[in-house]
Amino acid sequence: IYAALERYLKKRTADSYLAIHHRLDIETSGVMLFSKNRTANRSIHFQFKNHAVIKQYIAFAKGIADFTEKNLVSHIGRKDGKYYCTNSSNGKEAITLFKNSGNTGEFTIFEAIPRTGRTHQIRLQLSGIGHPVLGDKLYGDKNTSSKYPRTMLHASSITLQHPVTQKALTVKAELFEDMYHIIALHKEKRN
């Protein structure tokens, strides 16, 4: 997406500028965030660095969670090119607030609000507490990951301070059709 946007902007003006602030794993859907000028880029960069940006995700995770809300603190490390989640101080601290938004009888729908921005943070933490994201071939349940078209994780919104107006700005993305389809299928099974 970055390369396509860069080509598009270069067609409009030769001295175009593009920076990415919020990218997604290839199978994750939702909000991405880019800036088109250096002033906006600087402002947004510092907001991310100072943890002033609020990101919200929706995750469909295996099993029925027994909690309503959980602030999960763990550490994410990397060994032999692979990321892993641990409760010890090996790795970088990862903090996510998970809210249970209900279940279908087979999986839980979580709202996840990461306070830190570690690679694969939500996927690793949910897997670590026994609720891997559906369709996650890397950290999920190998027996069920083929039942889902992709990793069922969606970046639903980002809230930040607009770099020009200084007002709060929230950018939202509705769930993709495949996630609505999965919810509908599970509702049919229950009836």
Side-chain angles (χ1 to χ4, degrees):
I1 292 174
Y2 178 87
L5 282 172
E6 193 173 46
R7 284 191 304 272
Y8 172 76
L9 290 172
K10 284 188 188 230
K11 284 181 185 177
R12 296 179 74 201
T13 177
D15 64 341
S16 64
Y17 176 84
L18 184 68
I20 188 166
H21 296 280
H22 188 251
R23 58 182 168 71
L24 300 173
D25 295 334
I26 196 162
E27 290 191 345
T28 301
S29 57
V31 175
M32 297 178 76
L33 186 63
F34 301 88
S35 57
K36 296 192 317 181
N37 69 56
R38 285 176 172 74
T39 303
N41 179 60
R42 193 174 304 109
S43 171
I44 296 169
H45 167 76
F46 283 113
Q47 289 181 63
F48 271 95
K49 184 177 180 178
N50 295 325
H51 305 286
V53 176
I54 300 168
K55 301 176 283 184
Q56 293 182 292
Y57 291 78
I58 302 296
F60 293 179
K62 181 181 177 186
I64 307 304
D66 62 355
F67 62 89
T68 304
E69 192 171 293
K70 180 179 281 208
N71 195 50
L72 192 59
V73 179
S74 60
H75 288 81
I76 294 178
R78 191 171 183 182
K79 185 175 181 181
D80 300 326
K82 295 182 181 180
Y83 292 95
Y84 64 96
C85 197
T86 177
N87 290 328
S88 73
S89 60
N90 296 334
K92 295 180 180 178
E93 186 176 59
I95 304 168
T96 309
L97 174 63
F98 290 99
K99 296 180 180 180
N100 183 336
S101 296
N103 67 73
T104 65
E106 292 183 35
F107 65 86
T108 300
I109 301 170
F110 287 106
E111 178 184 347
I113 303 167
R115 306 290 189 209
T116 54
R118 308 292 175 227
T119 301
H120 301 169
Q121 177 171 324
I122 294 168
R123 295 164 60 193
L124 281 162
Q125 288 183 315
L126 283 174
S127 184
I129 62 169
H131 295 289
V133 176
L134 300 179
D136 188 345
K137 293 168 184 66
L138 192 57
Y139 307 113
D141 182 346
K142 305 297 183 220
N143 296 323
T144 61
S145 63
S146 62
K147 288 174 50 178
Y148 301 95
R150 64 175 178 90
T151 302
M152 294 287 106
L153 180 62
H154 178 78
S156 56
S157 72
I158 293 180
T159 301
L160 68 152
Q161 186 181 51
H162 191 284
V164 176
T165 68
Q166 304 302 307
K167 293 182 179 177
L169 171 68
T170 300
V171 181
K172 295 181 179 184
E174 291 294 320
L175 286 180
F176 274 27
E177 187 64 33
D178 58 357
M179 294 180 94
Y180 283 124
H181 180 71
I182 289 169
I183 291 170
L185 283 176
H186 285 277
K187 280 184 180 177
E188 284 178 20
K189 284 182 185 179
R190 291 178 96 173
N191 294 335

